[in-house]
Amino acid sequence: MFVKLDNKDRKMANSILNVQLPAYKVEAKLINFEGIPQLKDNVESIRDSKEIFIGYVIDNDLKGFLAYTEGDNEYQICRLVVHPSCFKRGIGRKLVHYFLNEIAKKKKVIVSTGSDNLPAINLYKTSGFKFHREIEVVPNFYISLFENTSNH
């Protein structure tokens, strides 16, 4: 079930971290980059975030979430996270499709991921995102930017 998460609530912020940190640790190994900013988050940084969080909950347990920001002309997916115990169950895909179909109806959506994160790249490409460009964020580490303009 999809639910809006109140990241300002301390207990919910802790639940978000309990999904986010293990997921980003897996990604850090996958892309061979330990500098993912979300690995440095704590309860206070989650509570202070201006992002909007949508969770995927099974039996009152947060299994994954998508966080985004909304600008005048576009949305940006800032985080797409699934707990490692729930990998390969389609939760990330369900979150992206819910976001595209229920929230981001009339605006462009942008997202970025490590250029070596092939599972995420495959998910975005098969969800209608088109590769936009690649950026070197630190020496020898690249992120790929994707856009979805099919909703407007």
Side-chain angles (χ1 to χ4, degrees):
M1 171 184 356
F2 301 102
V3 293
K4 185 164 191 250
L5 305 177
D6 179 7
N7 61 298
K8 307 293 183 221
D9 177 78
R10 181 171 293 281
K11 187 175 176 188
M12 181 52 69
N14 201 47
S15 293
I16 288 168
L17 277 179
N18 287 338
V19 173
Q20 175 173 299
L21 293 178
Y24 278 113
K25 284 179 185 170
V26 170
E27 181 177 355
K29 284 188 176 117
L30 181 69
I31 65 175
N32 198 27
F33 181 67
E34 298 293 324
I36 299 171
Q38 291 85 350
L39 282 172
K40 296 174 180 58
D41 272 330
N42 56 40
V43 169
E44 293 311 315
S45 63
I46 294 293
R47 291 180 72 204
D48 290 343
S49 175
K50 304 290 188 237
E51 297 165 21
I52 300 164
F53 290 76
I54 303 295
Y56 189 83
V57 176
I58 300 172
D59 297 329
N60 293 318
D61 192 18
L62 184 64
K63 301 297 186 184
F65 65 86
L66 182 150
Y68 66 94
T69 57
E70 181 179 6
D72 290 338
N73 300 313
E74 66 188 21
Y75 288 98
Q76 179 174 359
I77 296 175
C78 305
R79 309 166 203 242
L80 176 61
V81 182
V82 176
H83 192 277
S85 68
C86 297
F87 281 0
K88 300 196 183 292
R89 293 191 195 170
I91 292 172
R93 184 170 307 282
K94 288 176 186 173
L95 282 161
V96 169
H97 286 228
Y98 176 83
F99 177 73
L100 292 175
N101 294 320
E102 301 298 325
I103 297 168
K105 293 182 178 173
K106 299 286 185 201
K107 294 182 183 178
K108 174 171 76 170
V109 179
I110 59 173
V111 67
S112 64
T113 191
S115 294
D116 291 335
N117 188 346
L118 298 182
I121 288 171
N122 182 52
L123 169 62
Y124 295 129
K125 283 183 174 179
T126 59
S127 297
F129 286 83
K130 304 286 184 236
F131 175 79
H132 180 62
R133 63 186 169 120
E134 192 172 62
I135 299 172
E136 186 174 24
V137 290
V138 296
N140 298 314
F141 179 72
Y142 297 85
I143 61 170
S144 293
L145 304 178
F146 293 87
E147 293 183 354
N148 183 319
T149 57
S150 61
N151 289 352
H152 66 281

